[in-house]
Amino acid sequence: MKALILAGGFATRLRPLSCSRPKTLFPIVNKPLLQWIFERLAQGGVDEAILAVNALTQFYIRQHKLSKCGLKVRFSIDPPKMPLGTGGPLKKAEKLIGHNEPFIMLNGDIYADINYRELVEAHRKSGALATLALCTVEDPCSFGVADLQGNVIKRFVEKPPKGKAPSNLINAGAYILSPEVFAYIPEGRAVSIEREVFPKLAEEGKLCGHCINGLWIDIGKPQEYLEANKIVLDSISNSIKRQNPASFSLKNPVALDEGVIVGEKSVIGPYAILGKNVKVGANAQISNSVIFAEAQIADGAILNGAIVGEGAKIGRGVKLLKGCVVGDLAKVKDSVHLHEGAVICPAKEVTETF
Ligand code: GTP
């Protein structure tokens, strides 16, 4: 079975961290999201993954040298300066996907525990042209909400006002599609599969839904990205519970990648995720934060609810609180206190508190 992974968007809401990596390569508990996706697809019986990307995303993905988990991996590249949206890349990949059998399509920016075998089975049984994985959320008001009759999706109601949502089920960004769907997508231009293709299928009664129960997280915005890391860390924390070392204190759950060094009397955790070769000085405190690889946190720094980009340098006594995002290679000088939600561009030097 083949799977098309959409990964050629610009991830504008995740700037500045997405200036230097596509969303699908953001680490989730120190493993690129795309690696989690490959693992799950391989478990689900997929043998070929086609990555729908732009040229720059292809470059970053190749550079990362992910384990392919036994999958054959191919690229389908949007034309230069012409992003194809969420439907155009599907039409572009038509020849690579072929017309032999149903296939999976999924957004490369979701972390989801999807049982693909079950989803495929639901698709075969329903006889629909598209079967969408549906996920239950507490408050569906900021999503497209499915109006279901049995397993048939009648329509999606976009961002309904409170109390007016037809269900709590939203599009989880993973689909099983039959090759007949290609006929519904215009060629050579950007197409939104959600707005242009699914409504047509729904009108014709050819759109079905299948509820998924496992973890489902979209990493669209920095706070969601941070939350995704915490939820996944929670879900795997038993397997990575670490002993308290003598010189500093660990408050589980934490994840420390290889090469991490922590100075005396520092307190790491709860919910501290430190990437490869991160160096933390003495008397520092890091909680509810994700620190990308090669970053350095100096003595006495306090980080709570922050994201620190790759190779960034956080000075002595610096305070980074909830929602602070420090871009790759940025430097925050000693004693600077950043207010909640402060965002620092990549490679910028911050010398004053603001
Ligand atoms: P924002 O700019 O923050 O909205 O993010 P985005 O456009 O990258 O992501 P969005 O959630 O809108 O898109 C869902 C999925 O489709 C993501 O995995 C994107 O990478 C992918 N995607 C979005 N636009 C394109 C595109 O023009 N071409 C390709 N190949 N993939 C796309």
Side-chain angles (χ1 to χ4, degrees), residues 4 50-54 58 74-78 89-90 92-94 96:
L4 180 74
I50 299 162
L51 293 162
V53 293
N54 56 52
Q58 183 200 30
R74 305 169 88 168
F75 289 91
S76 174
I77 303 171
D78 286 6
L90 173 57
K92 175 122 204 321
E94 183 170 356
L96 288 180

Side-chain angles (χ1 to χ4, degrees), residues 72 167 199 208 240 285 306-307:
K72 180 174 178 187
S167 71
C208 276
I240 58 170
Q285 295 173 35
I307 307 173

Side-chain angles (χ1 to χ4, degrees), residues 6-14 23 52-54 78 83-86 89 107-109 220:
L6 286 182
F10 292 104
T12 48
R13 292 166 297 158
L14 271 176
K23 234 193 296 195
V53 293
N54 56 52
D78 286 6
L84 292 176
T86 52
N107 290 350
D109 60 350

Side-chain angles (χ1 to χ4, degrees), residues 130-322:
T131 301
L132 277 53
L134 298 175
C135 163
T136 309
V137 292
E138 227 165 80
D139 178 11
C141 295
S142 47
F143 298 94
V145 185
D147 186 356
L148 270 186
Q149 268 178 30
N151 64 345
V152 177
I153 300 174
K154 291 286 164 196
R155 59 185 181 134
F156 275 98
V157 182
E158 273 306 315
K159 301 190 177 128
K162 260 208 162 1
K164 297 272 189 262
S167 71
N168 274 33
L169 296 168
I170 62 159
N171 176 357
Y175 327 113
I176 309 294
L177 305 176
S178 290
E180 289 87 337
V181 161
F182 287 119
Y184 288 75
I185 314 170
E187 199 166 350
R189 69 162 173 90
V191 178
S192 161
I193 196 159
E194 298 88 347
R195 271 178 252 125
E196 297 178 60
V197 181
F198 291 157
K200 268 194 216 152
L201 293 174
E203 257 174 46
E204 296 176 17
K206 293 174 180 161
L207 191 68
C208 276
H210 181 76
C211 300
I212 54 166
N213 302 314
L215 271 185
W216 179 86
I217 320 161
D218 175 14
I219 63 158
K221 300 179 200 149
Q223 279 320 300
E224 290 167 351
Y225 169 66
L226 200 54
E227 204 49 38
N229 272 277
K230 290 168 73 174
I231 294 171
V232 175
L233 180 57
D234 252 339
S235 76
I236 59 174
S237 61
N238 283 340
S239 57
I240 58 170
K241 204 163 254 168
R242 298 178 61 120
Q243 297 304 318
N244 226 344
S247 58
F248 64 97
S249 165
L250 276 181
K251 293 188 177 172
N252 285 305
V254 294
L256 274 51
D257 208 345
E258 61 190 57
V260 167
I261 297 173
V262 181
E264 281 193 4
K265 295 192 178 138
S266 284
V267 181
I268 307 297
Y271 298 102
I273 297 169
L274 277 50
K276 207 168 170 183
N277 299 328
V278 164
K279 290 192 177 53
V280 181
N283 296 304
Q285 295 173 35
I286 305 177
S287 55
N288 302 302
S289 298
V290 175
I291 317 298
F292 282 45
E294 313 290 342
Q296 296 180 22
I297 317 290
D299 299 349
I302 299 178
L303 281 64
N304 183 9
I307 307 173
V308 175
E310 191 164 333
K313 290 191 173 140
I314 307 300
R316 287 195 181 131
V318 164
K319 247 190 198 173
L320 302 182
L321 300 179
K322 196 173 162 214

